[in-house]
Amino acid sequence: MNKKSQRKRLITWGLIIMLLIAPILSWLIGIIYGVSVGSGFAAGGLMVILFPIIFVVGLVMLIKGFMKPKH
């Protein structure tokens, strides 16, 4: 794997995680937990906690991809 493909892969996966995976995964986990506990507030609270954590993981990957040299 060369530097350019690794750079592209990091940028692509960072965007995918930030825009697709973070909202869908936090919503799914929050809804499943909320239904199992029987509390809508628990579901909403878990979504509010999970979304920024997953979003920051994608943001770190995106920044890491932009910091790689272009070569």
Side-chain angles (χ1 to χ4, degrees):
M1 161 170 55
N2 60 14
K3 295 282 184 189
K4 190 170 183 176
S5 68
Q6 186 180 12
R7 181 176 188 265
K8 270 181 147 177
R9 187 172 296 132
L10 283 171
I11 292 171
T12 304
W13 274 106
L15 287 172
I16 289 172
I17 289 173
M18 288 169 51
L19 300 176
L20 290 176
I21 295 175
I24 293 171
L25 190 63
S26 66
W27 183 81
L28 280 174
I29 293 172
I31 292 298
I32 291 170
Y33 181 73
V35 168
S36 69
V37 172
S39 172
F41 287 109
L46 192 60
M47 285 184 233
V48 167
I49 291 170
L50 282 178
F51 179 74
I53 293 171
I54 300 170
F55 189 86
V56 167
V57 169
L59 187 64
V60 167
M61 287 182 72
L62 184 68
I63 291 171
K64 197 173 175 182
F66 279 126
M67 292 298 175
K68 289 263 183 201
K70 285 192 177 182
H71 292 140

